[in-house]
Structures are given as structure tokens and as C-alpha cells.
Amino acid sequence: ETGVTQTPRHLVMGMTNKKSLKCEQHLGHNAMYWYKQSAKKPLELMFVYNFKEQTENNSVPSRFSPECPNSSHLFLHLHTLQPEDSALYLCASSHSPGAGYNEQFFGPGTRLTVL
Amino acid sequence: QQQVKQSPQSLIVQKGGISIINCAYENTAFDYFPWYQQFPGKGPALLIAIRPDVSEKKEGRFTISFNKSAKQFSLHIMDSQPGDSATYFCAASKGGFQKLVFGTGTRLLVSP
């Protein structure tokens, strides 16, 4: 595997379900991100982790719970979601600040549908 | 203001033509302006980026023009090809590149 991978690629869940999205990066980066991409809206940054520590929470509802056990893995735990949470969830990684040029590399995303 | 406004929402260009996508921003503290390209089923990928100390940057057929006084920047795709058909996002950030603020995207279709 190369780059940034995400699983599952598609997920359908009910409002009372609990599910998790997984992201893995094989680029040796120390920063990881979750974004939400909805139709006709800008990509919304949700969370940023640097060296496993959360450094940014962009006022995300608590029904989204991130977890970063190490610099290569990032999870997004989902519970009691709403239909308006249906979107493409993108993971990205980069070098951390202070490491010079740190382009963000995106995974292919998980298409989430909440019924 | 953190918004980045992007236009047009969609664009159809004939093969060999020039595609132009425009973005405007409010926050004068922004100091990094990348463009991302996204194909269906893929995540966005960095295409080209510019810092405000230059007014233009060119990489192959792709050029960013930057107007600091107008707080605008644009992407020009010369000799557009069908393979350029994708959604393009402009973005901006300040110091450290981590908090990228994205535009709403432009869906480009290059007709053969």
C-alpha cells in the first residue's frame, strides 16, 4: 500500500448505529487530518493531529470522535449520526509544522450515507 | 473572514482551449494559496501552489496568477485536454499550511 488509504470506501448506517472510519498513511508523516466534503460546499476541516496529539477541533459535534493511536493511523468513530452528516469523509496527512514545506496528501475518502 | 470564494461553479472548455478559474479571499493574513485537482472516486491532489511574494507561477500547462492588492488568484490551464476534466479547488492558509480554507470547487469538462 502506498500513500493514504481509507476504509471502508462506502458506508451506510442508521442513525442509532456506531461505526468507525479508518485511515492509514504510508508516507512517514506526523500530521493527520479529517475533512468533510459535502456537495456544493467547501471541504471542511474537522480535526488535526500532530504527533498523535489533537491540535485542532473545528467545532465538530461530539457524535464524531477521532482517535490517533500513532502517527500512521487515524480513526473517526461515529455514533448517533444525523442524515445531514451524509458526506464524503477525507483523511489527509502531511509533515508537521516546522518540517518545511508540508503539502497535504489526501486519501480517496469514505462515502458515508446516514439513513 | 475565513472564506475563499471560487467561480465559476462549472466550466466547459473545448480541447486546446484555456480554462480559467478564479478565487477571491478576505483574510490578508493568508500566505499560501494551493490549487487541488480531484478526479471522481479520488481524494484531492495538490496541483500547484503560490506564495504572495510572486505574482505568477507556472508549472507545465498550469499557471497561477496572483493579485495581492485585489486579494484574488486564478488558475489558468493552457491547451486544456480531456484528461484535465476534474473538479478543481482553490484554498488558502496562513503560517504552517495546516488550516486550509477551501473554495467550493469548479467542475471542469474539456470536450474532445
Side-chain angles (χ1 to χ4, degrees), chain A residues 13-25:
Chain A
M13 59 186 290
M15 293 169 60
T16 58
N17 291 158
K18 291 184 180 181
K19 296 287 184 182
S20 296
L21 310 184
K22 179 183 176 181
C23 175
E24 184 173 0
Q25 61 93 3

Side-chain angles (χ1 to χ4, degrees), chain B residues 26-81:
Chain B
E26 292 292 329
N27 190 339
T28 55
F30 286 148
D31 59 2
Y32 174 65
F33 303 89
W35 284 90
Y36 281 80
Q37 180 188 54
Q38 185 176 25
F39 293 103
K42 304 284 188 180
L46 180 66
L47 187 64
I48 186 173
I50 197 169
R51 301 293 296 272
D53 51 346
V54 296
S55 60
E56 185 175 281
K57 183 174 181 180
K58 184 176 181 180
E59 291 185 2
R61 296 184 293 109
F62 300 92
T63 300
I64 298 179
S65 296
F66 184 79
N67 186 329
K68 188 173 182 178
S69 61
K71 293 185 287 185
Q72 295 176 346
F73 58 110
S74 60
L75 176 69
H76 292 63
I77 306 175
M78 312 300 288
D79 186 27
S80 299
Q81 300 297 310

Side-chain angles (χ1 to χ4, degrees), chain A residues 9 31 33 35 37 40 42-43 45 48 50 56 88 90 94 97 100-104 106-108, chain B residues 4 9 32 36 38 41-46 49 87 89 96-105:
Chain A
R9 294 294 309 275
Y33 312 74
Y35 286 87
Q37 185 175 29
K40 298 184 179 180
L43 273 77
L45 178 65
V48 181
N50 284 285
E56 187 75 28
L88 181 69
L90 291 161
S94 74
Y101 178 59
N102 49 3
E103 171 190 349
Q104 293 185 27
F106 285 82
Chain B
V4 175
Q9 186 174 328
Y32 174 65
Y36 281 80
Q38 185 176 25
K42 304 284 188 180
L46 180 66
T87 300
F89 296 91
F97 315 133
Q98 289 210 314
K99 289 189 69 174
L100 284 171
V101 179
F102 283 85
T104 50

Side-chain angles (χ1 to χ4, degrees), chain A:
Chain A
E1 292 282 7
T2 59
V4 180
T5 58
Q6 291 186 243
T7 55
R9 294 294 309 275
H10 301 271
L11 178 63
V12 179
M13 59 186 290
M15 293 169 60
T16 58
N17 291 158
K18 291 184 180 181
K19 296 287 184 182
S20 296
L21 310 184
K22 179 183 176 181
C23 175
E24 184 173 0
Q25 61 93 3
H26 309 267
L27 300 169
H29 292 156
N30 288 305
M32 297 190 78
Y33 312 74
W34 280 117
Y35 286 87
K36 177 183 179 182
Q37 185 175 29
S38 305
K40 298 184 179 180
K41 293 179 68 176
L43 273 77
E44 301 171 54
L45 178 65
M46 300 174 71
F47 302 102
V48 181
Y49 278 82
N50 284 285
F51 296 97
K52 304 187 298 179
E53 298 297 320
Q54 187 181 118
T55 55
E56 187 75 28
N57 177 337
N58 202 22
S59 302
V60 180
S62 59
R63 58 185 183 270
F64 295 91
S65 175
E67 179 189 1
C68 190
N70 55 62
S71 292
S72 297
H73 294 86
L74 184 65
F75 296 89
L76 189 62
H77 304 300
L78 315 171
H79 63 97
T80 58
L81 294 191
Q82 305 298 312
E84 59 264 29
D85 297 323
S86 298
L88 181 69
Y89 288 85
L90 291 161
C91 173
S93 71
S94 74
H95 293 296
S96 287
Y101 178 59
N102 49 3
E103 171 190 349
Q104 293 185 27
F105 291 80
F106 285 82
T110 295
R111 174 68 63 184
L112 173 66
T113 302
V114 181
L115 301 177

